[in-house]
Amino acid sequence: MSSEQMRMHNTSTNDIPASVENNENADEMDIEEEENSMFQKKKRQKTSEVWKDLKEITLPDGTLKAECIHCKTKLAILRSKVTSHMSRHLQTCTQRKLNMKQQQRLNFQPSSLCEVAMVAPALTDGKFDMAKMRKAAANWVLMHEHPFSIMEEEGFNMMQKTGMPEWEKISRNTIKNDCVSVYELEKKKLKTVLKNVNKISLTTDMWKSGNQKIEYMVITGHFVDSEWKLQKRVLSFIHLPPPLRGIDIADGIYKCLKEWGIESKVYTITVDNAAKNDACLRNLKDTFSRNKKLLCGGKLFHVRCTAHILNLMVQDGLSKIKHVIRDIHDSVNFLNISEARLNLFAEIVQQLQVPHRMLILDCKTRWNSTFMMLSTAIKFKDVFPRYQEREPSYYCCPSAEDWLKVERVCKILEVFNSATNIISGSEYPTSNLFLNEVYRVKVVLDKKHSEITDEEDFMYSMIEAMKQKFDKYWGEVNLLMAIGAILDPRCKMRVIEFCFPKMYPGSAAKDNISKVREALYELYDEYVAEFQANSGEQTGEAHDGFRKEANTIQISSSGWSEFNDFVKTIETVQPLKSDLDNYLEEGCFICEDSKSFDALEWWKVNTLKYRILSIMARDILAIPITTVASKATFSAGGRVICYGTKNEGGERFVLRTSLGARCLRIFS
């Protein structure tokens, strides 16, 4: 700026009228007041915990009431603001208990295992405790997976300093050490919990880093806690150097179990159907057999991942129409390349008034994403040919015959998809749901196979390939599948009497029912022996302690010792009918809402009625039949990345990456 321009600028600034200056100052004050008011509380918030389940409403006559959000009961709001009557209502509200039960999640349930964190304030008695803030910061970083460097960001520290003037900046190295300390503390807590666990089932899975080419294995433990809640805990991530053999996997698993002190508590191990996993389980089975007795002769020890078996079956079937899948995949991918193509496709969707607004691009390693891609693309089968007329470079449009094939395939894949979704849960028992889903798959395959008379039909070879894979893994009776279903009080022996004749031919069904019954009673007898052995040890210890004290009390009290020996002899006589006999003779539990039924809750209520059988059911129901829980630890599917575009007509396409599949969404 020249000297003349500077002089003119200063002159113009000095010549501003006082009224204008006053207006500007007033505006600045208004802005400042507005900024301050943004962070001021308008009304004192309710602090009582009961208001989490109640809401304040005004009746037509103007009376204020508190309404329960669960059962809609209206309670009085007292002038004294006392809420004890509201608390009593919530404790007895049946609908609230049902809702809380449905809303519980594995990692955040308030049981004795997952302690409710009592947050201690950092400011007590007028003194600020930075150590408590460091601990809270470490938990925050771990909970939300923040980078350690976030603690050094200027804006973050400015915010903390504003609320807490005594806040001290935490370096990335300090927060790293604090996180390690939190990990070690939580590990000690988990070790204490596992000491009280009688049996634990494991799942394991492998993953190779795409960039580093390093292979890792995760080991997850599954068990039922003292509150009869299903729990899962990641026990270890292990780096396995090449060459990766079954013996190396077995050594890694055993080392992990030894570190946690649970090598004598392992019940089952669930793995994928890889040859190295078979070798691993043979080695571990031999090792555990030497150190302890495996229940049921180790017949339940090796559990094959059901989801992986279903995946193999579907992949064999999809290979018969891979050219159709390739065309649909390329079509969706073609639309995704440019915004102009998306907008043109959206215009055609609007013209045809297609009510659907989503296309999915599959992930080749996940068959269910392929099913989702096919089932959504078929809704736009009339749009693709019209799009081809407007886009000369679009060359992979499926033909009308291809769409007919997709329709037929999706009807079968829908059954597999439903079964996979049910058995892949990790928040509820799945071993009792196993048989019904496998039976359904078998029946659908047999029905479709009988309906197709033309061996040249592509569906014939597709179903034939699926049936061969089914017979390979489930041609012989799966004991865990059957016993788990029997220990569901809704099923009992009726479930195998219903399913086996439809799964196995003639005499094979009867033979398999007999095998299951024998294995069931064999397993129960082993639990009875184990229960009596544990009871005997406790009784012996108490009796020894009583005899040591006998010398210090009067001789007349020795009559109690004789009576104790008499009771011990009489009570050890087995009743005519066992828990298992009584359980099977009683009718099946009729449940109107099967979706909300909790088998563990039922056994918890009937623990006193079936003292030994309830322990056996608890251990069986804790067995996971898939490795999904372990696979999820390697998956970043929950982190969704969205990219959006919008055209003139208001249509919006969003490419969403989640769980290995990409969704092309159209929003009106």
Side-chain angles (χ1 to χ4, degrees):
M1 183 181 293
S2 65
S3 58
E4 181 65 22
Q5 289 174 328
M6 291 179 63
R7 184 183 63 80
M8 294 177 63
H9 173 75
N10 293 334
T11 302
S12 62
T13 304
N14 295 332
D15 291 342
I16 296 176
S19 60
V20 177
E21 291 183 353
N22 292 336
N23 290 337
E24 290 183 351
N25 292 335
D27 291 341
E28 291 177 359
M29 292 176 64
D30 291 341
I31 293 173
E32 185 175 352
E33 289 177 1
E34 184 178 351
E35 289 179 347
N36 293 333
S37 65
M38 287 173 61
F39 302 99
Q40 291 178 357
K41 295 182 180 179
K42 299 295 183 183
K43 184 179 179 182
R44 182 179 179 273
Q45 295 181 350
K46 296 179 174 63
T47 57
S48 176
E49 292 291 322
V50 300
W51 292 106
K52 294 181 179 179
D53 299 277
L54 299 170
K55 64 179 180 180
E56 189 176 293
I57 63 171
T58 304
L59 299 180
D61 60 359
T63 307
L64 286 178
K65 292 285 186 178
E67 183 181 72
C68 177
I69 63 175
H70 305 287
C71 65
K72 306 304 179 183
T73 299
K74 296 175 179 57
L75 306 171
I77 299 179
L78 305 179
R79 291 184 179 180
S80 60
K81 304 301 180 183
V82 174
T83 59
S84 56
H85 64 296
M86 301 178 184
S87 179
R88 287 193 297 271
H89 167 76
L90 294 177
Q91 291 174 2
T92 58
C93 181
T94 305
Q95 190 61 40
R96 177 175 177 266
K97 293 179 180 179
L98 293 174
N99 292 342
M100 289 180 64
K101 177 181 172 184
Q102 293 174 357
Q103 292 170 4
Q104 282 179 342
R105 290 296 180 265
L106 186 65
N107 295 332
F108 302 101
Q109 49 191 348
S111 66
S112 59
L113 181 70
C114 303
E115 299 177 0
V116 180
M118 302 300 293
V119 180
L123 185 64
T124 52
D125 298 330
K127 295 181 179 180
F128 179 78
D129 191 346
M130 188 61 198
K132 292 181 180 178
M133 288 303 302
R134 280 178 51 184
K135 181 180 179 181
N139 280 283
W140 172 65
V141 169
L142 290 170
M143 184 181 298
H144 299 288
E145 300 179 8
H146 291 306
F148 298 138
S149 59
I150 194 173
M151 304 303 298
E152 297 179 344
E153 291 182 358
E154 183 178 355
F156 173 79
N157 283 279
M158 186 184 303
M159 176 185 67
Q160 296 295 88
K161 200 78 173 177
T162 303
M164 297 169 287
E166 297 182 3
W167 167 267
E168 298 174 5
K169 186 176 180 180
I170 304 174
S171 68
R172 66 180 69 191
N173 291 328
T174 300
I175 196 65
K176 174 185 175 182
N177 295 332
D178 290 344
C179 289
V180 172
S181 299
V182 171
Y183 164 77
E184 294 296 339
L185 179 62
E186 293 300 321
K187 187 175 181 180
K188 289 180 181 179
K189 291 181 182 179
L190 183 54
K191 276 190 174 182
T192 303
V193 170
L194 293 178
K195 286 182 180 179
N196 300 321
V197 175
N198 186 34
K199 287 183 174 59
I200 184 169
S201 295
L202 305 177
T203 57
T204 180
D205 192 49
M206 310 291 294
W207 175 77
K208 180 181 287 186
S209 169
N211 297 327
Q212 299 172 316
K213 304 301 180 184
I214 297 177
E215 192 132 24
Y216 295 92
M217 175 174 67
V218 62
I219 302 174
T220 309
H222 304 257
F223 57 93
V224 175
D225 65 14
S226 59
E227 299 295 327
W228 286 80
K229 301 298 181 184
L230 185 62
Q231 302 288 347
K232 67 173 181 180
R233 292 293 182 274
V234 174
L235 301 179
S236 183
F237 283 95
I238 303 172
H239 167 228
L240 295 174
L244 188 59
R245 302 169 299 173
I247 189 68
D248 299 321
I249 300 174
D251 290 343
I253 294 176
Y254 193 82
K255 183 179 178 181
C256 169
L257 301 178
K258 196 77 175 176
E259 181 183 355
W260 286 96
I262 56 174
E263 67 275 10
S264 62
K265 300 182 178 183
V266 176
Y267 196 18
T268 65
I269 301 180
T270 306
V271 293
D272 284 346
N273 301 285
K276 57 188 177 184
N277 286 334
D278 292 343
C280 164
L281 268 292
R282 283 195 299 269
N283 183 277
L284 286 174
K285 186 176 180 180
D286 180 65
T287 302
F288 289 135
S289 299
R290 295 174 183 271
N291 299 333
K292 66 165 188 172
K293 181 182 178 181
L294 293 176
L295 291 177
C296 208
K299 297 174 185 176
L300 306 179
F301 182 72
H302 183 181
V303 181
R304 296 184 181 276
C305 176
T306 307
H308 189 235
I309 296 175
L310 291 176
N311 178 59
L312 295 176
M313 293 173 62
V314 173
Q315 294 294 356
D316 282 356
L318 291 179
S319 64
K320 307 301 179 183
I321 58 166
K322 56 185 179 182
H323 68 284
V324 179
I325 296 174
R326 184 180 62 249
D327 285 345
I328 295 177
H329 174 92
D330 292 344
S331 296
V332 178
N333 194 45
F334 180 85
L335 294 174
N336 177 49
I337 290 178
S338 77
E339 181 180 349
R341 294 174 180 176
L342 293 175
N343 292 336
L344 177 58
F345 192 85
E347 290 176 4
I348 302 174
V349 170
Q350 278 187 325
Q351 291 173 7
L352 298 180
Q353 297 182 352
V354 178
H356 307 287
R357 293 292 183 272
M358 182 174 67
L359 284 173
I360 294 178
L361 186 62
D362 69 330
C363 172
K364 295 182 179 180
T365 59
R366 296 174 184 251
W367 77 264
N368 53 337
S369 71
T370 303
F371 164 71
M372 293 168 65
M373 180 184 72
L374 297 177
S375 60
T376 54
I378 199 171
K379 299 171 183 176
F380 298 90
K381 63 179 181 180
D382 295 329
V383 179
F384 283 103
R386 289 168 173 79
Y387 179 78
Q388 188 180 31
E389 295 173 357
R390 294 166 172 79
E391 179 57 65
S393 59
Y394 175 49
Y395 61 90
C396 50
C397 180
S399 64
E401 184 181 353
D402 290 339
W403 289 119
L404 290 175
K405 290 182 178 180
V406 170
E407 285 183 356
R408 297 176 66 186
V409 168
C410 283
K411 290 180 180 179
I412 296 179
L413 294 187
E414 187 176 359
V415 178
F416 283 84
N417 185 61
S418 175
T420 301
N421 290 336
I422 292 174
I423 65 176
S424 297
S426 59
E427 300 171 1
Y428 52 84
T430 53
S431 56
N432 59 318
L433 309 175
F434 187 7
L435 177 59
N436 285 319
E437 298 307 317
V438 172
Y439 148 78
R440 185 165 170 242
V441 169
K442 173 67 172 176
V443 169
V444 169
L445 290 179
D446 288 343
K447 181 181 178 181
K448 293 294 182 182
H449 190 266
S450 62
E451 291 176 351
I452 301 173
T453 57
D454 184 7
E455 295 187 3
E456 298 298 324
D457 192 331
F458 82 99
M459 287 289 290
Y460 183 88
S461 58
M462 175 181 174
I463 294 177
E464 190 68 28
M466 289 181 169
K467 284 174 61 66
Q468 290 177 3
K469 192 69 70 175
F470 184 99
D471 294 336
K472 176 181 178 180
Y473 290 105
W474 292 320
E476 296 182 4
V477 63
N478 185 300
L479 294 179
L480 174 61
M481 175 173 67
I483 293 175
I486 292 171
L487 292 177
D488 188 322
R490 299 169 297 176
C491 303
K492 300 188 178 182
M493 289 296 293
R494 300 294 185 194
V495 69
I496 62 174
E497 293 171 358
F498 172 76
C499 294
F500 278 18
K502 299 180 181 181
M503 293 177 63
Y504 307 105
S507 60
K510 295 181 179 180
D511 293 340
N512 287 334
I513 292 175
S514 299
K515 289 180 182 178
V516 171
R517 181 179 288 273
E518 291 175 5
L520 180 65
Y521 275 88
E522 178 186 352
L523 183 62
Y524 175 74
D525 290 340
E526 291 177 355
Y527 269 88
V528 171
E530 185 176 325
F531 180 83
Q532 290 178 346
N534 293 336
S535 300
E537 290 176 4
Q538 295 173 2
T539 305
E541 292 173 1
H543 186 57
D544 291 342
F546 177 82
R547 293 170 69 177
K548 289 179 181 178
E549 294 180 4
N551 296 328
T552 62
I553 60 178
Q554 298 179 358
I555 299 177
S556 60
S557 65
S558 62
W560 179 259
S561 178
E562 295 176 3
F563 174 72
N564 191 40
D565 291 338
F566 169 75
V567 171
K568 181 181 176 182
T569 303
I570 296 299
E571 293 296 331
T572 54
V573 177
Q574 290 293 316
L576 296 177
K577 289 187 177 181
S578 65
D579 284 357
L580 182 56
D581 291 327
N582 292 328
Y583 171 77
L584 295 179
E585 287 179 3
E586 291 184 356
C588 296
F589 177 73
I590 305 300
C591 180
E592 295 181 357
D593 186 7
S594 296
K595 292 183 178 179
S596 63
F597 178 75
D598 187 345
L600 283 175
E601 184 68 23
W602 189 92
W603 281 106
K604 177 184 178 181
V605 173
N606 291 274
T607 301
L608 296 178
K609 186 177 181 180
Y610 305 109
R611 289 188 304 167
I612 301 176
L613 187 61
S614 62
I615 299 174
M616 174 175 154
R618 180 192 63 192
D619 296 337
I620 291 292
L621 293 175
I623 299 175
I625 60 172
T626 70
T627 60
V628 171
S630 290
K631 289 182 183 295
T633 58
F634 291 127
S635 175
R639 303 171 184 86
V640 180
I641 305 173
C642 294
Y643 305 91
T645 62
K646 199 168 186 178
N647 64 6
E648 296 177 356
E651 292 288 334
R652 187 183 177 201
F653 288 74
V654 176
L655 175 63
R656 188 180 68 178
T657 304
S658 177
L659 295 175
R662 287 180 288 176
C663 305
L664 213 61
R665 288 181 177 267
I666 317 168
F667 294 100
S668 298

